[in-house]
C-alpha cells in the first residue's frame, strides 16, 4: 500500500499537495488514477514544516536537500512565533529542528551553512567531490571568493582539505583574499 500523501484545501477551492509529489508522479507513470491523501487545514508555516519533515524522512536525501529542508523548517518555526519571539525561543527553534531530525544543533547549523554555497560548489558536495566539513567552511567565503576558488579547483583538478578550507575562511574574514 502507498503511504498517504498530505494536502491542504485552498481558499479559492481545490487542494495544494504538501507532501507526496514523488508518489503522485510514480502513480501517474504507472497509470494509477487514485492514491490515498490526507487533507488537513494548515497555515503556510505549518505546510512548510510538514513538507520539510516529509522530505527529511526520505531514504536517500542529498546534502543540499537536507540543508534547504532544515533551513525552510527553521525559518517557518521562527516565523510562527515572530511577534513574540525572544532570543531564547530562537535558540529553541534550532533545538526543535535538531530533535525532530535526530541530529545535534551544531550539525543542523552546519547543514544550513551549505545553503550559502554557490550552486556549483553545492553540486560538488552532492556529488561527493567536496567533503562536508570543508564545504561548511567554504560557505563562509563571499560568493565572488567562492567563484575564484571554483576556477582554481577546476584549473588544478583538486579540492581543498578541511585545514585548507579553514585557512581560506580565516583569510576571507581578515579581508586578505582578493578578487
Amino acid at each position: 500500500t502507498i503511504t498517504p500523501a498530505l494536502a491542504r484545501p485552498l481558499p479559492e477551492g481545490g487542494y495544494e499537495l504538501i507532501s507526496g509529489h514523488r508518489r503522485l508522479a510514480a502513480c501517474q507513470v504507472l497509470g494509477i488514477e487514485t492514491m490515498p491523501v490526507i487533507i488537513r487545514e494548515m497555515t503556510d508555516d505549518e505546510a512548510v514544516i510538514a513538507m520539510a519533515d516529509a522530505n527529511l524522512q526520505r531514504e536517500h536525501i542529498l546534502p543540499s536537500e537536507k540543508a534547504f529542508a532544515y533551513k525552510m523548517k527553521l525559518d517557518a518555526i521562527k516565523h510562527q512565533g515572530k511577534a513574540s519571539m525572544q532570543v531564547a525561543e530562537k535558540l529553541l527553534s534550532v533545538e526543535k529542528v535538531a530533535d525532530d531530525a535526530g541530529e545535534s544543533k551544531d550539525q543542523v547549523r552546519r547543514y544550513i551553512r551549505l545553503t550559502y554555497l554557490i550552486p556549483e560548489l553545492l553540486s560538488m558536495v552532492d556529488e561527493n567531490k567536496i567533503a562536508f566539513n570543508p564545504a561548511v567552511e567554504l560557505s563562509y567565503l563571499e560568493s565572488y571568493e567562492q567563484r575564484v576558488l571554483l576556477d582554481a579547483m577546476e584549473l588544478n583538478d583538486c579540492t581543498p582539505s578541511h585545514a585548507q578550507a579553514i585557512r581560506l575562511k580565516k583569510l576571507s574574514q581578515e579581508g586578505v583574499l582578493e578578487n
Side-chain angles (χ1 to χ4, degrees):
T1 62
I2 298 174
T3 303
L6 181 60
R8 69 176 179 165
L10 295 171
E12 63 274 5
Y15 299 91
E16 177 184 24
L17 193 61
I18 304 301
S19 71
H21 296 88
R22 291 171 188 253
R23 283 168 275 170
L24 176 60
C27 286
Q28 289 170 335
V29 166
L30 296 171
I32 299 171
E33 295 183 16
T34 62
M35 68 178 227
V37 177
I38 296 171
I39 298 170
R40 189 174 294 150
E41 291 282 344
M42 286 184 250
T43 65
D44 289 346
D45 291 329
E46 290 168 339
V48 167
I49 291 167
M51 181 193 61
D53 284 343
N55 284 339
L56 291 167
Q57 296 303 316
R58 292 197 340 246
E59 193 172 331
H60 300 290
I61 182 167
L62 294 173
S64 63
E65 294 170 327
K66 191 180 266 196
F68 282 105
Y70 284 160
K71 185 173 186 331
M72 285 172 48
K73 182 172 181 176
L74 182 60
D75 289 346
I77 289 171
K78 286 179 179 178
H79 185 257
Q80 281 182 321
K82 199 173 193 178
S84 64
M85 184 66 72
Q86 301 294 322
V87 174
E89 289 174 317
K90 286 188 179 185
L91 295 175
L92 291 176
S93 299
V94 175
E95 286 180 8
K96 168 117 178 75
V97 173
D99 287 346
D100 290 351
E103 303 250 22
S104 72
K105 292 179 299 189
D106 289 340
Q107 189 68 353
V108 167
R109 286 188 185 108
R110 283 190 283 270
Y111 269 106
I112 291 173
R113 275 306 312 173
L114 295 181
T115 66
Y116 293 88
L117 288 172
I118 60 173
E120 297 86 346
L121 291 179
L122 187 55
S123 291
M124 293 177 80
V125 176
D126 285 343
E127 296 163 4
N128 291 317
K129 293 179 181 175
I130 298 179
F132 181 82
N133 287 327
V136 170
E137 300 302 327
L138 297 176
S139 74
Y140 288 92
L141 301 180
E142 298 292 333
S143 59
Y144 74 88
E145 293 170 332
Q146 291 182 36
R147 295 215 173 277
V148 171
L149 174 63
L150 179 64
D151 290 343
M153 288 167 39
E154 289 172 351
L155 182 65
N156 296 296
D157 193 29
C158 64
T159 60
S161 68
H162 190 217
Q164 290 168 326
I166 291 170
R167 180 85 177 122
L168 285 168
K169 173 186 168 183
K170 185 174 185 285
L171 291 171
S172 174
Q173 289 172 336
E174 292 171 355
V176 177
L177 291 182
E178 303 241 341
N179 199 342

